[in-house]
Amino acid sequence: YFGSYRLIRHFLRRWLRPNEKFRILDLATGSGDIPRLVVEFARTIGAKVEIDAVDFQPSTIEIARHLSGGFPEIRYHCADILQFGQERSYEIVLCSLALHHFSEDKAVALLRRCRALSREKVLVSDLCRGWLAKAGVDLLTATFFREPMTRNDARASAARAFSFQELNRLAREAGWRDFGHRRFRFARQAIWLEHLARE
């Protein structure tokens, strides 16, 4: 509803090409909706993907596996996302709507890990803290999404998210250079690398 899939598709259109094969990693995968989105997009253009999807919670991984019965391209792993994987093992590394759950130090470690795991491209997307995000979340959780857990989680996430300037600084502290960074609708931001193979 609020732009996360649109953001991911924006980069899939740039990065995936027909008749080519991509090994992809999705960190903090949650219910696995992003890997399924990637597979569906790849199928429409004739690209081949193999996706490792990682989350720390066993119950979350079981839900993701249950929802992904028709997606043999995805392998789910219950593991610490800061420890999983071998360096430079993937063409593309994704991490969506997870960074705001981490302290600054852990966020830097995660950004550094994303960069180390990829041979080519990295995309990290998250909420963007600011008055628009706060106002939007307050309005939506007061009118449409009023269930207490949803309301509390949404408001806490909007408050914990990094600002545009903070995320830029954290990426630089993690050793990211020549990276892209822009805002997306609604109250989203993304940072990305796409020339790692040249380094």
Side-chain angles (χ1 to χ4, degrees):
Y1 291 119
F2 304 113
S4 293
Y5 290 1
R6 186 186 306 112
L7 190 161
I8 298 296
R9 288 193 191 98
H10 172 84
F11 288 93
L12 294 179
R13 284 191 291 269
R14 287 171 57 161
W15 292 348
L16 296 193
R17 296 174 297 277
N19 304 314
E20 294 193 21
K21 186 174 181 178
F22 301 87
R23 191 162 185 237
I24 299 173
L25 175 64
D26 186 50
L27 295 173
T29 197
S31 67
D33 58 324
I34 298 300
R36 291 192 295 275
L37 177 73
V38 174
V39 170
E40 289 171 345
F41 182 88
R43 289 173 179 175
T44 64
I45 68 167
K48 297 182 183 297
V49 294
E50 294 180 356
I51 303 177
D52 287 320
V54 185
D55 202 277
F56 189 67
Q57 294 292 337
S59 58
T60 303
I61 289 293
E62 285 307 308
I63 291 169
R65 286 182 177 137
H66 175 74
L67 294 171
S68 304
F71 295 83
E73 299 94 332
I74 307 171
R75 293 172 297 189
Y76 288 100
H77 308 268
C78 185
D80 182 346
I81 63 174
L82 293 174
Q83 302 295 327
F84 181 85
Q86 299 296 316
E87 291 190 3
R88 299 180 65 81
S89 295
Y90 300 91
E91 278 78 41
I92 300 172
V93 174
L94 306 172
C95 184
S96 306
L97 292 177
L99 209 63
H100 64 274
H101 293 291
F102 293 85
S103 67
E104 286 201 2
D105 288 347
K106 287 293 180 66
V108 169
L110 178 54
L111 293 173
R112 188 177 292 124
R113 188 65 182 158
C114 288
R115 185 181 184 280
L117 289 167
S118 179
R119 291 191 293 268
E120 295 183 12
K121 299 171 175 64
V122 179
L123 172 62
V124 177
S125 59
D126 204 2
L127 301 172
C128 186
R129 193 182 76 247
W131 69 266
L132 181 59
K134 182 181 186 307
V137 166
D138 287 351
L139 177 62
L140 287 168
T141 55
T143 54
F144 297 104
F145 303 100
R146 300 174 64 182
E147 196 274 326
M149 180 179 291
T150 300
R151 182 175 63 246
N152 293 337
D153 183 64
R155 293 182 178 185
S157 293
R160 284 197 306 259
F162 297 109
S163 71
F164 192 80
Q165 292 77 14
E166 287 168 344
L167 183 54
N168 192 283
R169 172 176 56 81
L170 294 176
R172 295 182 186 283
E173 289 180 11
W176 286 37
R177 298 292 180 266
D178 300 320
F179 60 93
H181 185 195
R182 61 166 277 199
R183 293 180 173 87
F184 291 81
R185 295 182 298 175
F186 294 93
R188 298 288 193 270
Q189 62 178 322
I191 54 174
W192 66 92
L193 293 160
E194 49 189 353
H195 302 300
L196 289 175
R198 301 177 187 174
E199 295 184 2

